[in-house]
C-alpha cells in the first residue's frame, strides 16, 4: 500500500466514520509503540550495539499513512452542500470531531498540509452561527468541539498546528474579505493569488472609486476570525515569515479603513459597525506581529513597514472619534517604533524615516486628540525602553530631538486645554486628558535626562 489518498476514493459513506475511528485508534497505539521502540533503540545505541531504526521507521510510516487517510475521510465532509439528499442520514455523525479530539497525537505524524486543512475546518466552523437545517445535530457537535478546543490551554501547545495558526487565520480572513468586495478593477483577481506586496495592491484597490461591499458579503466571518486571532493566547515565534503575515494584515487594514471612510456601498447599516470592528482588530493583530517579526537586510524597505506610520496617522485622523481605533493605532505605532530601535544599528534609516513622518504628525496636527494619542504612544514606549537601557546613544539623540520638537510645537496647545479644564471652561474631556497624558510623558523623558533636557 502506497498510502496515497487516491486509494481511498471509493470508501462507502456508511463505512467512513467507522474506518476513520479505527485509523485514529491505531495511530494512538502506534504512538505508544514508537515511543517504546525509540527507548529500546536508544538503549542499544548506548550499549554500543548496532543501531537499527527500521522498526520505528516502519511504525512511523504506518502512522503517517493513517493520518493521511483520517484527514482525507474528514475532508469528504468539508463541503456539505454537495451531499445528496438520499445520503443525508450518513452525516448525522461528524467526521471532523474525532480528528479534533485526537489532535495531540496525530500531529506528530502529520505534514503541514494536514495541519492547514484542519485549521481551515476550524475557522470555517468557528464562523458558522446559523445551524444547517439538514444537519442541526452535526452543527451543534462540531461547534461544541471547536469551542472546547479554543478554551483548552493544551490546544495552543500543539506545535504542529500552532506554527500555522496565525498564517492560516489571517489568510482565511483576508480571502473572505476580498470575496466580500465588488469592483471593476483589473487587478482585483490577482490579489487572491499574490503572496507578497499585498500592501501596495490593497492600497491601489482601495483607491479605485467603485470598490464597495457586495450585498452578500462575508464580513461576519472576517470579524469573527480576526477577533479570535487578536485575543488568542498564542506565543508567536520570532521569524522572518511574519513579514508576509504583516504585509497581509496591513493590506487588509488599509483596504478596510479606506472603504469604510469612503462609504460602504452596502444597504445594510450593520456592515458599518462590523467594518469598524475589523479596522480595530487588524491593528491589534499588527501590534502582536511586530515584536515577533525578524527582519533581513532586504526587508527594511518593504511597503508594509515603510508606510506604517503614514497609514496609522491617517487612520487616527479618519477615525478620531472612535476610542478603540485610537488605542489600537497607538499600540501599533509604539510597537513599530520599538522595531525601529531594535534594528537601529543595522539600518538607521528606519528610525530616521519614522521620526520624519512623525514630525509631519506634529506639525500637521489638525485634530489634537488623534495626533496626541499617536505621539504620546511613541514617547511612552520611548520612556519604557529608556528605563531598560535600550536607547543607544545615536538613537537617544534622535529621540530627544523628537521630544523637544513635540514640546515646542504642542506645549502651548496642551497647556490651553489643561487650563480650560482647571478653570471649568467648557472643553472636550478628550482634549484635556490627552494633553495631560502627553505632557506627563514628555516631562518624564526630560526628567530622566536632566543634563541634556531643555531649560
Amino acid at each position: 500500500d502506497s498510502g496515497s489518498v487516491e486509494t481511498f476514493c471509493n470508501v462507502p459513506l456508511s463505512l467512513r466514520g467507522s474506518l476513520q475511528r479505527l485509523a485514529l485508534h491505531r495511530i494512538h497505539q502506534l504512538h505508544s509503540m514508537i515511543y517504546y521502540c525509540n527507548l529500546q533503540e536508544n538503549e542499544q545505541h548506548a550499549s554500543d550495539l548496532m543501531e537499527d531504526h527500521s522498526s520505528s521507521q516502519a511504525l512511523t510510516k504506518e502512522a503517517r499513512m493513517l493520518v493521511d487517510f483520517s484527514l482525507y475521510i474528514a475532508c469528504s465532509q468539508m463541503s456539505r452542500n454537495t451531499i445528496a439528499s438520499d445520503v443525508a442520514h450518513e452525516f448525522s455523525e461528524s467526521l471532523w470531531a474525532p480528528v479534533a479530539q485526537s489532535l495531540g497525537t496525530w500531529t506528530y505524524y502529520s505534514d503541514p498540509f494536514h495541519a492547514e486543512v484542519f485549521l481551515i475546518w476550524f475557522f470555517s466552523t468557528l464562523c458558522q452561527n446559523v445551524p444547517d437545517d439538514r444537519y442541526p445535530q452535526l452543527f451543534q457537535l462540531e461547534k461544541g468541539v471547536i469551542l472546547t478546543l479554543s478554551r483548552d490551554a493544551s490546544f495552543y501547545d500543539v506545535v504542529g498546528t500552532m506554527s500555522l495558526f496565525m498564517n492560516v487565520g489571517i489568510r482565511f480572513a483576508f480571502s473572505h474579505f476580498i470575496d466580500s468586495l465588488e469592483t471593476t478593477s483589473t487587478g482585483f483577481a490577482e490579489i487572491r493569488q499574490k503572496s507578497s506586496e499585498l500592501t501596495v495592491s490593497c492600497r491601489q484597490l482601495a483607491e479605485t472609486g467603485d470598490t464597495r461591499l457586495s450585498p452578500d458579503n462575508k464580513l461576519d466571518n472576517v470579524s469573527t476570525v480576526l477577533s479570535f486571532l487578536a485575543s488568542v493566547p498564542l506565543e508567536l515565534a520570532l521569524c522572518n515569515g511574519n513579514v508576509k503575515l504583516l504585509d497581509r494584515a496591513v493590506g487588509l487594514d488599509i483596504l478596510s479603513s479606506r472603504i469604510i471612510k469612503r462609504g460602504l456601498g452596502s444597504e445594510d447599516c450593520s456592515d458599518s459597525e462590523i467594518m469598524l470592528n475589523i479596522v480595530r482588530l487588524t491593528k491589534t493583530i499588527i501590534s502582536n506581529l511586530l515584536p515577533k517579526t525578524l527582519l533581513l537586510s532586504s526587508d527594511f524597505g518593504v511597503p508594509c513597514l515603510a508606510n506604517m506610520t503614514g497609514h496609522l496617522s491617517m487612520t487616527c485622523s479618519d477615525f478620531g472619534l472612535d476610542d478603540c481605533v485610537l488605542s489600537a493605532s497607538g499600540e501599533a505605532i509604539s510597537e513599530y517604533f520599538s522595531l525601529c530601535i531594535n534594528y537601529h544599528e543595522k539600518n538607521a534609516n528606519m528610525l530616521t524615516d519614522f521620526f520624519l513622518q512623525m514630525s509631519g504628525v506634529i506639525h500637521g496636527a489638525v485634530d489634537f486628540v488623534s495626533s496626541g494619542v499617536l505621539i504620546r504612544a511613541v514617547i511612552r514606549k520611548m520612556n519604557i525602553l529608556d528605563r531598560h537601557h535600550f536607547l543607544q546613544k545615536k538613537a537617544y539623540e534622535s529621540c530627544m530631538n523628537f521630544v523637544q520638537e513635540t514640546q515646542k510645537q504642542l506645549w502651548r496647545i496642551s497647556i490651553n486645554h489643561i487650563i480650560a479644564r482647571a478653570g471649568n471652561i467648557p472643553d472636550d474631556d478628550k482634549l484635556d486628558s490627552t494633553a495631560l497624558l502627553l505632557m506627563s510623558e514628555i516631562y518624564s523623558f526630560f526628567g530622566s535626562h536632566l543634563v541634556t533636557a531643555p531649560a
Side-chain angles (χ1 to χ4, degrees):
D1 294 343
S2 64
S4 175
V5 296
E6 284 79 3
T7 60
F8 305 115
C9 286
N10 296 321
V11 177
L13 283 171
S14 59
L15 295 179
R16 291 186 182 183
S18 300
L19 289 176
Q20 184 196 54
R21 289 192 296 273
L22 185 62
L24 290 170
H25 178 69
R26 177 59 177 167
I27 293 172
H28 279 274
Q29 289 182 328
L30 290 170
H31 187 58
S32 298
M33 293 168 66
I34 292 169
Y35 173 77
Y36 287 110
C37 192
N38 287 333
L39 285 180
Q40 185 178 9
E41 289 170 353
N42 290 335
E43 290 176 358
Q44 292 175 348
H45 179 64
S47 303
D48 295 327
L49 298 177
M50 182 67 69
E51 187 175 8
D52 181 17
H53 293 286
S54 58
S55 297
S56 62
Q57 289 175 352
L59 295 176
T60 300
K61 184 178 179 180
E62 181 183 353
R64 289 183 179 278
M65 180 194 70
L66 292 173
V67 168
D68 198 37
F69 172 70
S70 300
L71 268 293
Y72 167 73
I73 291 294
C75 284
S76 68
Q77 202 179 58
M78 181 74 83
S79 177
R80 303 190 187 96
N81 293 330
T82 61
I83 300 171
S85 58
D86 58 338
V87 295
H89 67 279
E90 300 294 350
F91 286 82
S92 59
E93 65 172 341
S94 171
L95 299 179
W96 280 103
V99 173
Q101 292 162 347
S102 304
L103 183 67
T105 302
W106 64 258
T107 48
Y108 284 99
Y109 312 102
S110 65
D111 296 327
F113 169 76
H114 298 127
E116 184 171 346
V117 169
F118 172 78
L119 289 173
I120 291 173
W121 168 79
F122 178 91
F123 289 115
S124 299
T125 306
L126 183 69
C127 292
Q128 293 178 10
N129 294 318
V130 181
D132 192 321
D133 292 337
R134 294 175 294 172
Y135 322 109
Q137 294 181 344
L138 186 63
F139 168 83
Q140 293 174 3
L141 173 61
E142 292 190 352
K143 192 72 172 182
V145 169
I146 289 295
L147 294 177
T148 301
L149 272 180
S150 64
R151 295 164 184 166
D152 185 357
S154 63
F155 171 57
Y156 304 102
D157 294 330
V158 181
V159 178
T161 53
M162 289 303 108
S163 60
L164 296 171
F165 194 84
M166 189 65 70
N167 188 347
V168 175
I170 291 177
R171 282 165 46 203
F172 185 95
F174 185 88
S175 175
H176 277 68
F177 188 83
I178 294 298
D179 290 340
S180 301
L181 301 179
E182 292 179 345
T183 184
T184 57
S185 173
T186 55
F188 183 60
E190 299 176 0
I191 291 183
R192 290 185 174 89
Q193 309 299 327
K194 296 186 70 172
S195 60
S196 61
E197 296 186 357
L198 284 164
T199 299
V200 175
S201 299
C202 287
R203 184 187 300 107
Q204 292 172 348
L205 181 60
E207 292 171 352
T208 304
D210 67 340
T211 302
R212 61 190 181 278
L213 287 178
S214 62
D216 56 341
N217 62 73
K218 302 176 182 178
L219 290 185
D220 282 337
N221 292 353
V222 178
S223 180
T224 298
V225 172
L226 292 179
S227 180
F228 191 85
L229 294 177
S231 59
V232 66
L234 177 64
E235 183 63 31
L236 292 171
L238 178 65
C239 64
N240 180 251
N242 288 339
V243 174
K244 288 189 176 181
L245 292 185
L246 195 63
D247 179 42
R248 195 175 292 270
V250 173
L252 177 57
D253 191 32
I254 290 174
L255 197 52
S256 58
S257 300
R258 301 287 176 86
I259 289 177
I260 190 175
K261 181 62 180 177
R262 188 175 63 240
L264 299 177
S266 172
E267 298 298 328
D268 189 355
C269 60
S270 64
D271 288 341
S272 179
E273 183 57 36
I274 298 175
M275 280 285 285
L276 195 57
N277 193 44
I278 291 173
V279 171
R280 299 167 188 147
L281 293 169
T282 49
K283 289 174 175 56
T284 301
I285 292 172
I286 290 170
S287 301
N288 295 337
L289 287 173
L290 281 168
K292 297 298 183 179
T293 300
L294 181 64
L295 300 181
L296 303 179
S297 57
S298 58
D299 297 325
F300 292 126
V302 291
C304 64
L305 295 176
N307 298 293
M308 181 78 69
T309 308
H311 166 62
L312 291 174
S313 62
M314 180 182 295
T315 303
C316 280
S317 177
D318 292 341
F319 302 96
L321 297 178
D322 191 292
D323 291 338
C324 293
V325 172
L326 290 179
S327 177
S329 300
E331 187 64 29
I333 199 75
S334 68
E335 292 298 343
Y336 178 61
F337 167 68
S338 183
L339 187 72
C340 294
I341 292 294
N342 292 339
Y343 286 91
H344 184 258
E345 286 189 355
K346 294 184 177 180
N347 190 300
N349 291 333
M350 280 185 69
L351 187 63
T352 302
D353 292 341
F354 172 78
F355 281 134
L356 185 62
Q357 294 183 58
M358 286 302 299
S359 179
V361 175
I362 295 173
H363 292 279
V366 178
D367 179 7
F368 177 78
V369 173
S370 59
S371 301
V373 167
L374 278 187
I375 298 168
R376 184 241 174 183
V378 171
I379 301 178
R380 183 173 183 273
K381 176 64 73 170
M382 205 178 289
N383 281 317
I384 293 172
L385 296 176
D386 188 37
R387 293 186 194 108
H388 292 84
H389 307 290
F390 288 151
L391 290 184
Q392 302 168 359
K393 184 176 180 181
K394 291 184 178 179
Y396 161 73
E397 292 175 355
S398 299
C399 291
M400 177 59 79
N401 291 336
F402 174 74
V403 176
Q404 290 177 350
E405 184 181 6
T406 302
Q407 193 256 0
K408 179 181 178 181
Q409 187 69 23
L410 300 180
W411 181 84
R412 178 58 61 186
I413 300 174
S414 300
I415 291 299
N416 288 339
H417 289 308
I418 295 172
I419 292 175
R421 183 65 173 177
N424 293 322
I425 301 174
D427 199 12
D428 190 337
D429 288 342
K430 286 186 179 181
L431 292 173
D432 57 83
S433 60
T434 302
L436 279 169
L437 292 171
L438 177 59
M439 288 297 104
S440 66
E441 295 295 346
I442 289 175
Y443 288 111
S444 176
F445 189 81
F446 287 159
S448 300
H449 305 278
L450 292 175
V451 177
T452 55

